[in-house]
Amino acid sequence: MGTKDYEEMEFAKLDISREERTGFPEVVFCQGKPDEYLVEIYNKLYERDGRVFGTRATKEQFTIMKKHIPQVEYNDISRIMKIMPEKPDFDKDNYIVVCTGGTADIPVAEEAAETAEYFGTRVERIYDVGVSGIHRILSKEEILRGANCLVAVAGMEGALASVVGGLVANPVIAVPTSVGYGASFGGMSALLTMINSCANGISVVNIDNGYGAGYMATQIDRLARKK
Amino acid sequence: MGTKDYEEMEFAKLDISREERTGFPEVVFCQGKPDEYLVEIYNKLYERDGRVFGTRATKEQFTIMKKHIPQVEYNDISRIMKIMPEKPDFDKDNYIVVCTGGTADIPVAEEAAETAEYFGTRVERIYDVGVSGIHRILSKEEILRGANCLVAVAGMEGALASVVGGLVANPVIAVPTSVGYGASFGGMSALLTMINSCANGISVVNIDNGYGAGYMATQIDRLARKK
Amino acid sequence: MGTKDYEEMEFAKLDISREERTGFPEVVFCQGKPDEYLVEIYNKLYERDGRVFGTRATKEQFTIMKKHIPQVEYNDISRIMKIMPEKPDFDKDNYIVVCTGGTADIPVAEEAAETAEYFGTRVERIYDVGVSGIHRILSKEEILRGANCLVAVAGMEGALASVVGGLVANPVIAVPTSVGYGASFGGMSALLTMINSCANGISVVNIDNGYGAGYMATQIDRLARKK
Amino acid sequence: MGTKDYEEMEFAKLDISREERTGFPEVVFCQGKPDEYLVEIYNKLYERDGRVFGTRATKEQFTIMKKHIPQVEYNDISRIMKIMPEKPDFDKDNYIVVCTGGTADIPVAEEAAETAEYFGTRVERIYDVGVSGIHRILSKEEILRGANCLVAVAGMEGALASVVGGLVANPVIAVPTSVGYGASFGGMSALLTMINSCANGISVVNIDNGYGAGYMATQIDRLARKK
Amino acid sequence: MGTKDYEEMEFAKLDISREERTGFPEVVFCQGKPDEYLVEIYNKLYERDGRVFGTRATKEQFTIMKKHIPQVEYNDISRIMKIMPEKPDFDKDNYIVVCTGGTADIPVAEEAAETAEYFGTRVERIYDVGVSGIHRILSKEEILRGANCLVAVAGMEGALASVVGGLVANPVIAVPTSVGYGASFGGMSALLTMINSCANGISVVNIDNGYGAGYMATQIDRLARKK
Amino acid sequence: MGTKDYEEMEFAKLDISREERTGFPEVVFCQGKPDEYLVEIYNKLYERDGRVFGTRATKEQFTIMKKHIPQVEYNDISRIMKIMPEKPDFDKDNYIVVCTGGTADIPVAEEAAETAEYFGTRVERIYDVGVSGIHRILSKEEILRGANCLVAVAGMEGALASVVGGLVANPVIAVPTSVGYGASFGGMSALLTMINSCANGISVVNIDNGYGAGYMATQIDRLARKK
Amino acid sequence: MGTKDYEEMEFAKLDISREERTGFPEVVFCQGKPDEYLVEIYNKLYERDGRVFGTRATKEQFTIMKKHIPQVEYNDISRIMKIMPEKPDFDKDNYIVVCTGGTADIPVAEEAAETAEYFGTRVERIYDVGVSGIHRILSKEEILRGANCLVAVAGMEGALASVVGGLVANPVIAVPTSVGYGASFGGMSALLTMINSCANGISVVNIDNGYGAGYMATQIDRLARKK
Amino acid sequence: MGTKDYEEMEFAKLDISREERTGFPEVVFCQGKPDEYLVEIYNKLYERDGRVFGTRATKEQFTIMKKHIPQVEYNDISRIMKIMPEKPDFDKDNYIVVCTGGTADIPVAEEAAETAEYFGTRVERIYDVGVSGIHRILSKEEILRGANCLVAVAGMEGALASVVGGLVANPVIAVPTSVGYGASFGGMSALLTMINSCANGISVVNIDNGYGAGYMATQIDRLARKK
């Protein structure tokens, strides 16, 4: 590792050795970034790499960005704002699954799914299969068992990850969501459920962290794809 | 309600209008009671009612009690210490289910089951059917659906109650247990899971409170039996 | 249980075996649902069943829905939005009680009461009978004791459930509410009070979960009604 | 206030202006004090004042102390270790009440009651009158209403203070106890109940702090007695 | 106690035996009450008693009330909305102190002070005397020591109550406030500080509960005034 | 999935379809299991599979087991009790890394490492490389970057996972440990650190859950090995 | 210490012995102060000292202040509102470092840096050097090691302080920030990380308390400068 | 920084560049270390440096160590186990203060004081000066104001740090202790008090972390001593 593998900006240090070190391009966490910083970062990355991918963007940020970079696209479910000229060419034999307990978990699931797709991973979506109607997830057993990695997204009591973990041989990444009310404590209840899961092969990322799950699922899928 | 329906003891006020008011005889919570008090209470109740039922008793308490009341029995799984000369005559057409996520939850489940049986309720036990091997609980669907009330006992992530709740028409009483380690916080994780359940018809009692669940399940079963 | 008893929508899996499985029609949790989804779901259910019942609806959602389904009704205390062409024919001999500690708990109590009524249960309402003026609840002892199930709704210190539980023979479902300030932690204080109740026959649902309490109270009332 | 109104010991600074400042003699918190320190402090205070009062003492500490000061007395319920040659001469017209929810709260209640008595206050004890059998506390209404101050001691859900507060005109000091299990969190549940009480005229001391309640009740009783 | 000492309204049960039982007239907690209810309650109480006192009122509530009852007054620091035709005639020899740690705690302190004054208690205010400039509170020692009761209002680390408690002979009621940021957790930090105080004669009310402190301080002051 | 793929024991339901379903043999969680149950389970598994692997065993459990199955081995650092007649034949080209922040984290790390080895995974151990002496972990960069998966075990502030995550391309499984004191809350502090990590490619298992990390690391390593 | 070293205002007690006692002029915490109070305080301090420094000011407060004191300046990153006619003359041989984990932590860092500069301390800023790209902070090792004190500002997992602490000989003041989401709990996660740091020479201030860190860093720098 | 400045042991990596990097020799955290490891580490450090300093040692560890290294000394208040052939030669003009709220805080204070002395810092001890008898700490104002740094050690409500902070110009390091009961939560209450202190110039270390405070106080004292 060299001693200065980054580029100094006034308000940031761009980690230019990152893709070489990790195999993943830089991703922008848009939430809370001042508009002028965000535009400057998108411009710099677009210039250098020809593509940009940002999470947690607001509609307002998109409106401003579009004036500067007309090619930018925005998905208001996943809140992802990206410039992605070429669609990835997905591997036919490998895929991951992203599944949710309910309809309200879909935004987090889409953040995970789009992230994985941006990094080149094929994704199968299975939504609204929470444990209170267990026949729904069981009817998808085959597709679950074929995935290299499974991302289980759920709020409220978050039991989905345990059930999925008991059905498959490959790793499950559990994403607690802030969906719920009362004693769900903004997702802490689901996080604790998932951390205490009695099933094997489950690990957990932060509440609503679809991006983190999509990233790690890609790492795992890539290991399976490498031959 | 009369103004003084209890009997003064030095250290307690025996609630003698209780059985009339609620249909349930008094039950002794043995934990932490000084030996001399406990013996005196058992003696008084045995004299009056011909039977006594106590929860959370220790082996030491049993050894002492046996010297005073030789008929007393003790179960070291459920920690119930009772004098119960006649077995109840259970109703053939009605029963409740007590089920557990794992083997370690059995002591709490047995507290629930023995409590219900003491109050005259027939109990079907289904143990070690946690959600990480979902086929186990599914194979019992018929017996689950026939019960007037279901007591779901689970520690760790406590997801059992949600799955059971999704399979049946009758009420589920969820009992979180202190089984677990790390972020299970002595059962708080399971309690939160159950309180946040996305399934309908689930309510929750305190951590390890098998007695409370057995009591309420009996209340419900009695309503179904009344004709 | 068949392997695919649900209907695929783009954003949800309608659980069509649910009424058969549980005896209860589907209920819509309106909170946070995008308008177009909500309208589509109400339309689909209305077509199929001739009635729809939704909880946690906002006035805005009602205004939009009314344009699509003019028969829809809205109650801005309980926040229930429903289409219910025929009034249920209540049983004369059976009822449940819904009671509250204070006036501010009434919205949650009404959610419980209307839910139970939608499912065919007769409800007696006893509001503003909190424990700091104990004579108010005591004056209602007879009506309390006649109910098959009692729903006790209270915020702040939530002691109502314990007092009610000590007066009656039938089960009490305790609903903590988020009414309070300071160390009430959005209802967590009331939830803990209720979970730790020293009275028998009490179980607890999530904070502000009037729907869940009305549902379970109906399950219990139905068992009593079955002959 | 002088600049040095205390006496230096190697391990402590005896606050010798305390009785003058507050009207209360020094009290020893025995818990965790090394034996040699404790004996030295008791000796010093006994010499100076002719009496000593200590809380949270263990039987072991008493055994050691007795060897040095044979007049010392110990109560193994309240865990108070004292030398008190003359009994106080209580006022006939004034008293406080100390009441408990259950039998298990008596040790904390006795710490409060003995503390108040040591400071010269007459105490009426009303034990085991928890809210799950509400007729018990109601039968004592007259004696409750005659007290200058009421100390309400309760664990588990701690609802006693609210009920007492609604019955009387004078202040109630609520003492949460660590009695309970599961989600009682060592008394935190009772503390939250009491802090959130909807009744007026209630304030709260630390969990199991019988001493603090007895002290403050005496302050209030003294104000009533002063003429 | 009679069995029905209250008046039924549609949305409340007015506790009409309350003043007789406790010596205090009813007070209205305005927060969250619908406008029509609030107006009706003020009208009813004004008619009956010729005065009304309400806490936690908003400016909007005041504007509406003024249209119905032009005599109503509003203080936008304490948020108290009252009709109080005659000023109380304060006792010359008795008073309580209300003191605060900082300027930001004044609204809560004023709620306490105005409440006590409404109930007839003379109040001395000592504001902005927090412990980080200890000479400020020490310069007021004489006035502190003359009070029958002291209300210590503080947010952030809430240490004021301990210092005051160490200086006086009479009881201190500690009011934690939600003033602070970061790890102050909306006042929980101050509440814990006060509950754990090493000084004697301190008890605690809920966060921001100025009303409760003013009420209890009056109870104590009345005991001292009674001759 | 068949409807009854398990074997009924009196106290457990052995999940016999598990290895087929997941590719992993059953593992025994010894903690808290009664001696007679544990011996019976080891006997049954040894008979069927010729090997057994159990975690969280105590020395006492080992002493008893040795009398029944003399081949059993015990490691008092990792607390693993196993019968494993043949050593696995590790893949030369693939391995995982298990690293720790400090010496005190080694027991949890060894649970992870031995679990992975039991399942056939080659493990490189890098211990005592916490972030307060950052040069230690940096000197191991090459070996870190060659691993298919990295298990980062740390207590106290748990920052190791973030640093490791920033250095490598493959997934990191973070294991918080209960090592620490004061505000480490039995590992909760480390868990929160890891869940909030700003590095990518990190997911978290329960406090002290070395087994879970070793299991998932094996799942990932197997995907990389499959060709 | 004199007995009355402060100046009474209606709503505050200005601590006029403060600069003499501590060597630091008074600083205004603007947040939540009513506009008229704030203007009066700025006027009073400006008159007396010729300069004023306030933290946590809003743009609205600045707009109002500018009308009264046109010289006032505002920085909308650090939210500091000040009147500072002369720039301090910094010491060439002494400085402190303020560093951040990410870009989003800069506002808190600037509050620290500007505070220190106001008090006469030279500051080196090193921003966006979080541990997930460890080479960035390592490239600054020399400048870090030359500082008399280091302020490490970080949210999310807050690991920066531990890494910095391991690299330098002088004290590190850790400032957790509320930057993050999900289980970061408004900065509590970062606070716990920093409090539990395994590195030596680290102490912690409140979440987002840049002012407190800048103050203490100046105290330390002054000790080093004194000769 | 070189790439491998440590010495590999089987169970640890001795950080041999540490003294050069930070100016402080290595210190051993004895708690939980297996006996053979501890003896080996003491031997290794004694050989190399001629002195060793360890914290949190038990009497049992001392007994074993004495057999191997007879010169070792143990203090059973501070629990420090050290070999220290020459007493440090303290600077006459510079010192730090270590003060405590109560007697029970002395063990933590002694850990701080002995640590600082081991590193060459002169320490003034001021014990048992808690805020409930404020005249005690005020009588020490002169000695407090002369210190380069002050370590304030307190449990329960932990208000000592704020009072000290308001009296002096130099930095205060606050050490919360686990002294207390009930809602003190093992020191968390004191930690929150100190973190939220309204006084300036205060920062906080972990609960009971006397070592950390003594270390940082030495860093500060050294800066003041350097000329």
Side-chain angles (χ1 to χ4, degrees), chain H residues 51-63:
Chain H
R51 60 177 190 168
V52 196
F53 189 83
T55 62
R56 307 270 171 121
T58 61
K59 243 180 188 163
E60 291 66 37
Q61 291 178 321
F62 171 60
T63 307

Side-chain angles (χ1 to χ4, degrees), chain E residues 107-222:
Chain E
V108 176
E110 279 299 310
E111 187 183 289
E114 286 200 43
T115 296
E117 289 173 345
Y118 178 73
F119 292 142
T121 304
R122 181 152 73 88
V123 179
E124 292 293 329
R125 288 158 170 85
I126 307 178
Y127 291 165
D128 195 25
V129 290
V131 301
S132 71
I134 196 74
H135 56 296
R136 296 177 299 184
I137 186 80
L138 294 178
S139 76
K140 303 288 185 188
E141 197 174 347
E142 201 175 345
I143 197 165
L144 293 173
R145 295 181 56 78
N148 287 321
C149 180
L150 302 101
V151 176
V153 183
M156 299 179 90
E157 95 274 56
L160 181 64
S162 294
V163 172
V164 172
L167 294 172
V168 301
N170 285 329
V172 176
I173 302 170
V175 191
T177 72
S178 53
V179 171
Y181 64 92
S184 75
F185 298 122
M188 196 58 196
S189 169
L191 190 156
L192 289 176
T193 304
M194 289 164 166
I195 277 283
N196 286 292
S197 177
C198 58
N200 291 309
I202 295 178
S203 62
V204 187
V205 296
N206 200 356
I207 297 161
D208 291 337
N209 188 6
Y211 166 72
Y215 185 103
M216 194 171 180
T218 294
Q219 289 178 312
I220 293 170
D221 191 61
R222 283 185 181 180

Side-chain angles (χ1 to χ4, degrees), chain A:
Chain A
M1 191 177 72
T3 50
K4 194 164 172 306
D5 302 332
Y6 55 85
E7 178 176 345
E8 287 274 6
M9 297 175 71
E10 187 197 357
F11 52 86
K13 292 191 176 42
L14 281 192
D15 186 357
I16 57 180
S17 67
R18 183 183 160 74
E19 183 148 17
E20 177 197 342
R21 229 165 57 234
T22 65
F24 288 85
E26 197 139 28
V27 162
V28 186
F29 183 73
C30 300
Q31 187 178 296
K33 288 236 162 49
D35 294 336
E36 57 273 30
Y37 286 14
L38 197 62
V39 169
E40 196 172 332
I41 290 171
Y42 265 67
N43 266 324
K44 187 149 234 154
L45 290 171
Y46 184 39
E47 234 170 73
R48 202 181 68 192
D49 306 330
R51 60 178 191 166
V52 197
F53 189 84
T55 62
R56 309 270 169 120
T58 61
K59 244 178 187 164
E60 291 66 36
Q61 291 177 320
F62 170 61
T63 307
I64 289 163
M65 192 65 74
K66 212 165 171 55
K67 289 181 198 149
H68 293 84
I69 313 181
Q71 304 88 314
V72 75
E73 292 171 280
Y74 183 67
N75 177 332
D76 59 9
I77 298 285
S78 67
R79 294 188 294 151
I80 282 168
M81 178 166 69
K82 70 184 173 193
I83 312 165
M84 198 182 169
E86 297 166 44
K87 295 293 158 227
D89 188 27
F90 296 127
D91 187 308
K92 278 177 199 158
D93 301 326
N94 289 281
Y95 66 92
I96 66 164
V97 156
V98 176
C99 56
T100 74
T103 298
D105 304 312
I106 291 178
V108 176
E110 280 297 310
E111 187 183 290
E114 288 201 41
T115 296
E117 289 173 346
Y118 178 73
F119 292 143
T121 305
R122 181 152 72 89
V123 179
E124 292 293 329
R125 289 156 171 88
I126 306 179
Y127 290 166
D128 195 24
V129 289
V131 300
S132 71
I134 197 75
H135 56 297
R136 296 178 298 187
I137 185 81
L138 294 179
S139 75
K140 303 288 186 188
E141 197 174 348
E142 202 175 344
I143 197 166
L144 294 172
R145 294 181 57 78
N148 287 321
C149 180
L150 301 102
V151 175
V153 182
M156 303 179 86
E157 96 272 55
L160 181 65
S162 294
V163 172
V164 171
L167 295 172
V168 302
N170 284 330
V172 176
I173 302 171
V175 190
T177 72
S178 54
V179 170
Y181 64 91
S184 76
F185 298 123
M188 196 57 195
S189 168
L191 190 155
L192 289 176
T193 303
M194 289 163 165
I195 277 284
N196 285 291
S197 177
C198 57
N200 291 308
I202 295 177
S203 62
V204 187
V205 297
N206 200 355
I207 297 163
D208 291 337
N209 188 5
Y211 166 72
Y215 185 102
M216 192 170 182
T218 295
Q219 290 179 312
I220 292 170
D221 191 62
R222 283 185 181 179
L223 284 167
R225 276 186 269 153
K226 253 190 236 164
K227 272 159 233 240

Side-chain angles (χ1 to χ4, degrees), chain H residues 62 72 76 94 102 109 152 154 178 206:
Chain H
F62 171 60
V72 76
D76 58 10
N94 288 281
S178 53
N206 201 356

Side-chain angles (χ1 to χ4, degrees), chain B residues 57-111:
Chain B
T58 61
K59 244 180 188 163
E60 291 66 36
Q61 291 177 321
F62 170 61
T63 307
I64 288 163
M65 192 63 75
K66 213 166 169 54
K67 289 180 198 151
H68 293 83
I69 313 181
Q71 303 87 314
V72 76
E73 290 171 283
Y74 183 67
N75 177 330
D76 58 9
I77 298 286
S78 66
R79 293 189 294 154
I80 281 168
M81 177 165 70
K82 70 185 172 194
I83 312 166
M84 199 180 168
E86 299 166 43
K87 294 291 156 225
D89 188 28
F90 296 126
D91 189 308
K92 277 177 200 158
D93 301 326
N94 288 281
Y95 66 91
I96 66 164
V97 157
V98 176
C99 56
T100 73
T103 298
D105 303 312
I106 292 178
V108 176
E110 280 297 310
E111 188 183 289

